Amino acid sequence: MSSNSASLVSLQKSVKQLRKEAGFRRIKVSQAAEDLKKFCLDNAQKDPLLMGVPSSDNPFRPPKSCALL
Amino acid sequence: MLMVEMCHVTFASTSEHHQLCRLEYRSRLIIKSTFIDISVIRLCFVKMACQGLAKGETIHTLKAESETLKGKLEEERAKLHDVELHQVAEKIEALGQFVMKTRRTLKGHGNKVLCMDWCRDKRRIVSSSQDGKVIVWDAYTTNKEHAVTMPCTWVMACAYAPSGCAVACGGLDNKCSVYPLSLDKNENLAAKKKSVAMHTNYLSSCSFTNSDMQILTSSGDGTCALWDVESGQLLQSFHGHSADVLSLNLAPSETGNTFVSGGCDKKANVWDMRSGQNVQSFETHESDINSVKYYPSGDAFATGSDDATCRLYDLRADREVAIYSKESIIFGASSVDFSLSGRLLFAGYNDYTINVWDVLKGTRVAILFGHENRVSTVRVSPDGTAFCSGSWDNTLRIWA
């Protein structure tokens, strides 16, 4: 009895969730992809790992200096 | 001596449960840290189970509706699938050769590094390890600034507070604790520890929200939860995964109050933080999802999985839009992160390498060697100038 009730509860939950997802308003992949592409290209110049920055500007690039005792 | 009994599924106190309907039994007792410790198994009633069947509903009608809805969803998603992401990216210039090297190696952990996080100051890092130690480093100089020994081993999660004044961590202790960082290096950090979150299984991931005041956690108990740091109070719980939740990531602040989680049920779920509702769910991976990370615009997220692939899911198209995989890559991806513009995806794998993917074209642009054991965590610095990787070889590496 208990296991039937447990599966009933989980089935109710999953149907409720599916009903919600059915009502979701989706856009076409072509539009979504264009937006992703646009974001990348618009922000490319500000992406140091993508563009590479001169050693003088990247705090990690110059090797750590040795302290002279 | 006061005790609070809570159902570990709904987190509702048992006094709220209806006596009449007992469709499901769970036996757990969650004890708040301020009360005296007892271990007693009690029966408690699941509140959700008290909603009776609507008129005419039976197991059969529900099953049929479930199948119909699933079929409809697939149809809908397929109709909108008019092009592949890499096709849209065909005309873009290909990325050149990447020269990324280890610029710093952070040595000091006595065992596997499991997690790390950057401070917003772009130079400090917190890392946690299987040996129970949590270390705060200055990544520029590689100096250790603070070290805490946790009472448990396998500290699987750690996070830096937005202010830079505290760190949160947890693991096999099933808790998430916050340690304020003292400027006095000699002060015993463990003395000021604050226990915030309590789960009924291991803590897999934690993250502060936009302030030091709230923490989001995910756990092996299959739930995520939002906590108030000061009082330790549970603010919201998130139920929907059917197995351990391994990773979570908050949406970039501009896009509002949502977060994504991934787990051993192969699902990636997107949640509304205020209502606790699961707003979207994605299930295309063939094995555990170890890592989830939002694309910088907040419109998509990437996942890394034990099925040796990383995938990109677009939230507005409501589907998977790219798979990053190669026949030669057969080991699981443990951790993923994007570069600032979202063009590059860094992924750490169990075969000791880090692969760098062109997110738009779907191709691999670099493979980074250096670690001598599994890469367990990969995170790009807040200003995007470098990324840090942690590994089971006990070290962390900064790459730029």
Side-chain angles (χ1 to χ4, degrees), chain B residues 72-198:
Chain B
K72 250 185 84 184
L73 267 170
E74 262 183 59
E75 237 186 83
E76 279 291 310
R77 284 175 168 165
K79 256 193 270 171
L80 298 165
H81 187 199
D82 51 349
V83 79
E84 296 293 337
L85 176 58
H86 63 82
Q87 289 172 294
V88 166
E90 254 162 26
K91 301 265 177 59
I92 308 177
E93 225 181 282
L95 296 171
Q97 269 280 326
F98 273 95
V99 179
M100 257 176 244
K101 292 194 205 148
T102 301
R103 305 291 172 173
R104 301 283 189 278
T105 304
L106 305 179
K107 294 188 185 170
H109 277 295
N111 211 322
K112 309 176 174 67
V113 175
L114 302 175
C115 188
M116 60 87 35
D117 191 18
W118 287 89
C119 177
R120 282 191 187 180
D121 72 0
K122 309 158 223 164
R123 73 185 276 172
R124 282 175 183 79
I125 281 177
V126 61
S127 62
S128 64
S129 161
Q130 185 194 343
D131 67 358
K133 290 242 176 22
V134 174
I135 299 179
V136 175
W137 315 75
D138 175 336
Y140 289 0
T141 61
T142 73
N143 289 336
K144 297 179 197 45
E145 297 200 338
H146 302 274
V148 176
T149 304
M150 292 279 285
C152 67
T153 56
W154 288 90
V155 187
M156 293 171 236
C158 63
Y160 230 115
S163 66
C165 299
V167 293
C169 50
L172 284 189
D173 58 351
N174 300 0
K175 294 193 226 167
C176 184
S177 308
V178 175
Y179 292 84
L181 294 174
S182 162
L183 287 170
D184 175 3
K185 306 276 165 77
N186 294 321
E187 188 167 355
N188 181 10
L189 289 183
K192 294 244 175 92
K193 161 178 160 178
K194 202 186 210 12
S195 267
V196 174
M198 287 242 245

Side-chain angles (χ1 to χ4, degrees), chain A residues 36 40, chain B residues 85-86 89 95 295 302 312 321-324 337-339 342-346 356-363 365:
Chain A
L36 290 174
C40 272
Chain B
L85 176 58
H86 63 82
L95 296 171
Y295 186 77
L312 186 70
V321 293
I323 303 186
Y324 308 100
D337 200 358
F338 286 101
S339 68
R343 184 69 191 271
L344 299 176
L345 181 71
F346 299 96
V356 186
W357 300 90
D358 179 331
V359 169
L360 300 179
K361 290 187 183 274
T363 52
V365 296

Side-chain angles (χ1 to χ4, degrees), chain A residues 19-20 26 30 35-36 47, chain B residues 82 277 316 318 339 341:
Chain A
R19 282 181 196 151
K20 249 192 283 170
R26 295 167 191 86
S30 51
D35 291 345
L36 290 174
D47 186 344
Chain B
D82 51 349
Q277 294 297 312
R316 295 176 313 148
D318 189 39
S339 68
S341 66

